[in-house]
Amino acid sequence: VVLAKLGLPAALRRLIMHCVSTVKYQICINGELTDSFTPMNGIRQGDPLSPTCVVLCVEKLSHIIFDLVQKGCWKAVKSSQSGHVVSHLFFADDLILFAEAYVKQAQIMKGCLEIFCQASGQIANYDKSAVFGSPILRRSDLGKYLGMPLLHTRGTHATYKKLLDRVHSREKRTKVHLCQWNLVCRPKCKGGLGCKKSSAMNQALLAKIGWRIQNKDGGLWARIYEAKYLKGTSILDPSLLPKQVCSSTWKGILHGLELLSKGMLWRIGKGDVVKFWQDRWLNGRPLFEQDGVLQVGDVTCNVSSFFKGDWWDTDKLRAVLDEDLVQQIICIPMEVTNAVPNAQIWGPATNGMFSVKTAYTLLFHGSEWPSYDWQFLWKLKIPPKLQIFIWLVFQGKILPNEQRARRHLADDPTCNYCNWPVESISHIFRDCEKATSVWHAMLCHGAHPHVFQMDFNPWLRYNLLSKALWGDHVPWTLVFVFICWVLWKWRNNHIFNVDDEVSYDPEKIIVAAVGDTKAPKIPLLLAWEPPELGQFKLNVDGSRRCASGSIGAGVIRNSLGDWVCGFAVNLGKEQILEAEVWGLFFGLQLASAKGIRRLTVEMDAATAVLLVQQHSRLGSHPLASLIASCCAMVRQISDCSVSHIYRERNFVADCLAKWSHNLDLGLCVLDAVPSWLGALLVDDLLGVPLG
């Protein structure tokens, strides 16, 4: 009946009812399926078709309510003085109805539910329903949902006291805590385990709500906050101050806004609304606060005042900034045609889109943390439990007898095997007689003895980053980790299983552990391929060095493999992706200037190719304006395609990019073949493969 009143075609209604009425189930008991049977009440909760049917049916209730609101019978509630009117909110299997607090309105609500129940066959459960009104009414809460209290005011410690007591009641046993919670909650790249700290995670999630409001989310909730608190202003407006009287939810959003503001950057389009000195558009801080400023002129000038045609005015930049800042600025793309406008994007993410992960990471920074990168540990091809084990060793958080005695878990700090006075972490894994004998038996050929004289952490890092091989194809890093693991297991068995005889054959155990390691992959030999007859091929590549900056380079050749022209552009200090895309930009520009109408573009940067192919969905990407310019030039060339190739087929452009690091800032066009490049061109023409 409900589906018919919704106006669904008869054929579709029959199909839906057939799916509901013909469903059969089987139950798995002790690993075996029973005979199939037909349920009496249609599909079960959790069936993929169930939520679809619920949405279709409840839509009829929504129509009934909207009809009464339009007739003026149902007095809906205004979210604010100038905000939206809300009559109902529907969830998966719950709903909230809003109306003025009068008996007549309650009767109208009940009448709507009765009409819907009569049509759908459902029954409203008033025992599980609650009425909530303004503070002048007695009812002050909506009860609980999934064990959590439903609040309309700010939550306090007392609100969740029962929940906290239940959690603490399960922690009655005394446990040894190896690490501080703050260390565990650091991101993995900062030396932690990446566990989420609830307070920081909460602020990151609140920042996401602010991001959605800033980007004009179309949801009802966003429109309500926009009308009530913002009234046409941006949520990032510095003049936006927290009001004295506002909801606790809005106060939470403003708390997340503190984090959101730290990561927001301006993406330069025409640059006519972005303040050169005052706004955040470079390195996450206003330019006048950064090191390298020679002199500050007009503090209210826009970024566009430092443009010269379709490029940066380098002379004007060098007059007020040092060379390091100039090189960072000139590689920032601009869009003078206003095809991609100025926009505020999320700086910590490479694609300019907000993510909770990058926001959470932004909260974790501190000078007391180690300066080196911890990613090497999590990239090791070892089981996760060994990664955690090595992390504990690196942090000094395992318990040798020295630490056990200090924590009153043992009486004697000496080594149980060699009776050394103090059993430290370095003693267990390197200095003990047992450990020394294992290392001498398993030491990688060619290893230098002096590495055992290093401090323990540098010794660990040296072996974990080693590129040496053990045997024919097994990485030494893998063997090193398994040796440490075997030493630790043997030591624990020796201490805690005193009555048991521990068999110990380290070489056999370690060889068995790494024996299933796959042999290295055989490199695939590839060669450059010339374009079809009458076509031209543009090979583009980028290169980056910290000292000399980023380089974009490219080569245009015809179907015979002859050199048409080449180029290299020094872009200052930027990331490799920007160098690749700038190389594409100048390569297409050069091809258009040569009058080339049939062009094949090849790049070994898969990310750059993907950006070009998905240019219409870039949104807040920092390179959106540069990609738009590249796509415009691709469309101007009658027959042009951009594709990804492997680096072996892009060797000439790769070598040209690396050779060009000594060039001055700007574009250098090479009409003639550089002498040193001739042999590589011949190899490409002959199809000499590279691996």
Side-chain angles (χ1 to χ4, degrees):
V1 178
V2 173
L3 298 180
K5 291 186 177 181
L6 285 174
L8 296 181
L12 181 58
R13 297 201 305 270
R14 286 195 299 270
L15 178 61
I16 294 175
M17 295 308 299
H18 177 75
C19 293
V20 173
S21 59
T22 60
V23 65
K24 293 184 178 181
Y25 295 114
Q26 289 178 289
I27 299 176
C28 182
I29 301 177
N30 295 330
E32 296 184 0
L33 293 175
T34 64
D35 295 334
S36 60
F37 60 91
T38 302
M40 298 297 295
N41 295 322
I43 58 178
R44 65 178 177 83
Q45 185 176 3
D47 191 290
L49 189 60
S50 178
T52 305
C53 294
V54 171
V55 170
L56 289 173
C57 291
V58 174
E59 186 66 19
K60 180 57 182 176
L61 177 59
S62 180
H63 290 178
I64 297 173
I65 296 174
F66 275 130
D67 184 57
L68 291 175
V69 171
Q70 290 177 356
K71 291 179 180 178
C73 301
W74 185 306
K75 304 296 182 181
V77 176
K78 295 188 69 175
S79 58
S80 63
Q81 189 173 9
S82 58
H84 295 268
V85 175
V86 182
S87 58
H88 60 282
L89 294 175
F90 289 167
F91 301 94
D93 53 357
D94 296 287
L95 55 93
I96 302 178
L97 305 179
F98 298 90
E100 294 181 355
Y102 294 106
V103 175
K104 185 177 180 180
Q105 291 294 304
Q107 293 173 345
I108 293 174
M109 283 184 179
K110 187 176 181 181
C112 286
L113 293 176
E114 291 175 350
I115 294 173
F116 173 72
C117 292
Q118 184 177 2
S120 63
Q122 303 295 315
I123 300 176
N125 189 344
Y126 294 110
D127 292 334
K128 291 186 178 181
S129 303
V131 178
F132 180 82
S134 60
I136 62 175
L137 301 180
R138 294 182 179 180
R139 187 61 185 261
S140 59
D141 66 83
L142 287 172
K144 296 181 179 180
Y145 182 73
L146 298 178
M148 299 296 292
L150 297 175
L151 305 174
H152 75 292
T153 58
R154 180 179 177 84
T156 62
H157 187 273
T159 307
Y160 302 99
K161 186 177 185 303
K162 293 183 178 179
L163 181 63
L164 292 174
D165 290 342
R166 289 177 60 188
V167 174
H168 292 316
S169 65
R170 297 182 182 182
E171 298 183 350
K172 295 180 178 179
R173 293 183 301 172
T174 303
K175 299 179 181 179
V176 177
H177 299 283
L178 297 179
C179 307
Q180 293 182 350
W181 185 241
N182 287 336
L183 175 61
V184 175
C185 290
R186 287 186 194 173
K188 286 186 175 181
C189 60
K190 300 292 186 180
L193 289 180
C195 295
K196 303 304 181 186
K197 197 172 184 178
S198 53
S199 59
M201 192 65 180
N202 180 60
Q203 189 174 9
L205 290 168
L206 291 171
K208 183 179 181 179
I209 297 177
W211 167 266
R212 293 175 64 182
I213 294 176
Q214 167 66 14
N215 286 272
K216 306 298 180 184
D217 189 288
L220 175 63
W221 66 272
R223 288 183 278 130
I224 288 176
Y225 285 126
E226 175 78 25
K228 184 172 183 178
Y229 296 110
L230 298 180
K231 295 181 171 57
T233 61
S234 170
I235 195 172
L236 296 174
D237 192 334
S239 61
L240 182 66
L241 298 175
K243 296 183 178 181
Q244 294 290 337
V245 181
C246 63
S247 68
S248 58
T249 306
W250 182 249
K251 290 179 181 178
I253 294 175
L254 294 180
H255 176 59
L257 189 61
E258 299 174 7
L259 174 60
L260 182 66
S261 301
K262 293 179 181 179
M264 296 299 290
L265 293 177
W266 278 99
R267 181 187 65 197
I268 304 301
K270 291 184 67 176
D272 53 344
V273 298
V274 183
K275 302 299 182 184
F276 183 80
W277 296 106
Q278 297 176 334
D279 287 336
R280 298 183 179 186
W281 60 278
L282 181 69
N283 298 330
R285 292 185 297 158
L287 196 57
F288 72 87
E289 296 180 0
Q290 300 185 36
D291 297 331
V293 177
L294 303 180
Q295 60 177 350
V296 178
D298 182 10
V299 293
T300 61
C301 66
N302 297 324
V303 173
S304 58
S305 61
F306 288 84
F307 292 172
K308 186 177 182 181
D310 58 353
W311 191 249
W312 293 92
D313 190 340
T314 54
D315 293 334
K316 195 171 183 180
L317 288 172
R318 283 173 172 150
V320 295
L321 304 171
D322 67 5
E323 190 63 23
D324 184 67
L325 282 178
V326 171
Q327 291 200 17
Q328 294 181 50
I329 289 175
I330 63 171
C331 56
I332 297 177
M334 65 187 78
E335 180 52 70
V336 295
T337 63
N338 206 26
V340 179
N342 303 294
Q344 287 184 292
I345 63 174
W346 180 245
T350 55
N351 61 357
M353 296 295 293
F354 181 90
S355 68
V356 175
K357 179 180 179 180
T358 54
Y360 181 84
T361 305
L362 187 62
L363 288 169
F364 285 85
H365 58 276
S367 58
E368 74 280 2
W369 291 359
S371 58
Y372 51 81
D373 188 9
W374 281 80
Q375 290 293 357
F376 78 93
L377 174 59
W378 310 110
K379 291 180 181 179
L380 295 177
K381 304 299 182 181
I382 57 178
K385 69 176 182 179
L386 295 188
Q387 289 180 328
I388 301 297
F389 165 69
I390 291 296
W391 179 83
L392 288 170
V393 174
F394 213 108
Q395 293 283 5
K397 299 302 181 181
I398 64 172
L399 293 180
N401 284 342
E402 177 188 19
Q403 288 291 333
R404 294 177 65 236
R406 186 176 300 173
R407 297 186 183 207
H408 305 291
L409 299 175
D411 298 327
D412 189 2
T414 62
C415 176
N416 292 63
Y417 180 80
C418 66
N419 295 323
W420 189 259
V422 177
E423 184 196 59
S424 62
I425 295 178
S426 61
H427 181 82
I428 293 175
F429 294 105
R430 190 182 66 179
D431 302 332
C432 180
E433 293 179 5
K434 175 65 72 174
T436 303
S437 64
V438 173
W439 289 118
H440 286 164
M442 303 292 296
L443 194 60
C444 179
H445 295 293
H448 297 288
H450 76 271
V451 298
F452 287 94
Q453 301 174 5
M454 302 168 63
D455 291 336
F456 184 69
N457 272 10
W459 176 75
L460 270 179
R461 187 175 176 84
Y462 174 86
N463 284 279
L464 291 173
L465 294 177
S466 174
K467 302 298 183 183
L469 295 178
W470 186 81
D472 295 331
H473 61 270
V474 180
W476 168 249
T477 299
L478 186 64
V479 178
F480 175 81
V481 171
F482 275 105
I483 292 175
C484 293
W485 177 248
V486 168
L487 287 172
W488 178 245
K489 290 184 66 177
W490 177 87
R491 175 260 184 192
N492 290 338
N493 284 331
H494 187 73
I495 292 178
F496 300 110
N497 299 326
V498 180
D499 297 333
D500 299 335
E501 184 178 353
V502 181
S503 60
Y504 189 70
D505 188 352
E507 187 170 358
K508 181 179 179 180
I509 297 173
I510 295 165
V511 170
V514 301
D516 58 348
T517 305
K518 296 181 179 179
K521 296 181 180 180
I522 300 175
L524 183 64
L525 299 179
L526 300 171
W528 180 80
E529 296 179 353
E532 296 179 1
L533 185 64
Q535 283 190 337
F536 294 83
K537 178 171 284 189
L538 168 63
N539 288 93
V540 177
D541 197 18
S543 177
R544 179 178 181 268
R545 293 178 186 170
C546 296
S548 54
S550 301
I551 297 291
V555 178
I556 300 178
R557 288 174 278 189
N558 59 21
S559 57
L560 299 177
D562 296 331
W563 178 281
V564 176
C565 63
F567 71 92
V569 54
N570 190 333
L571 302 163
K573 295 184 178 180
E574 196 46 85
Q575 301 299 319
I576 186 64
L577 178 61
E578 282 81 345
E580 299 275 3
V581 180
W582 272 117
L584 174 63
F585 173 83
F586 285 105
L588 292 171
Q589 197 176 63
L590 190 58
S592 298
K594 295 287 183 180
I596 296 175
R597 309 307 301 165
R598 299 181 63 193
L599 181 67
T600 299
V601 183
E602 293 181 342
M603 308 174 65
D604 57 29
T607 303
V609 174
L610 186 63
L611 290 176
V612 174
Q613 294 173 348
Q614 299 179 351
H615 64 276
S616 60
R617 294 181 288 174
L618 293 183
S620 300
H621 200 283
L623 299 178
S625 58
L626 184 57
I627 296 294
S629 300
C630 292
C631 293
M633 286 188 286
V634 168
R635 290 190 294 267
Q636 291 175 1
I637 301 174
S638 58
D639 182 9
C640 183
S641 63
V642 181
S643 59
H644 171 259
I645 58 171
Y646 290 105
R647 186 179 299 273
E648 290 78 9
R649 288 181 172 174
N650 206 35
F651 192 63
V652 171
D654 179 68
C655 292
L656 183 59
K658 293 178 180 178
W659 169 80
S660 304
H661 276 281
N662 294 325
L663 297 177
D664 293 331
L665 292 177
L667 178 65
C668 175
V669 178
L670 304 171
D671 292 320
V673 182
S675 58
W676 61 270
L677 206 55
L680 298 178
L681 292 172
V682 173
D683 288 344
D684 275 358
L685 186 59
L686 296 176
V688 176
L690 298 173

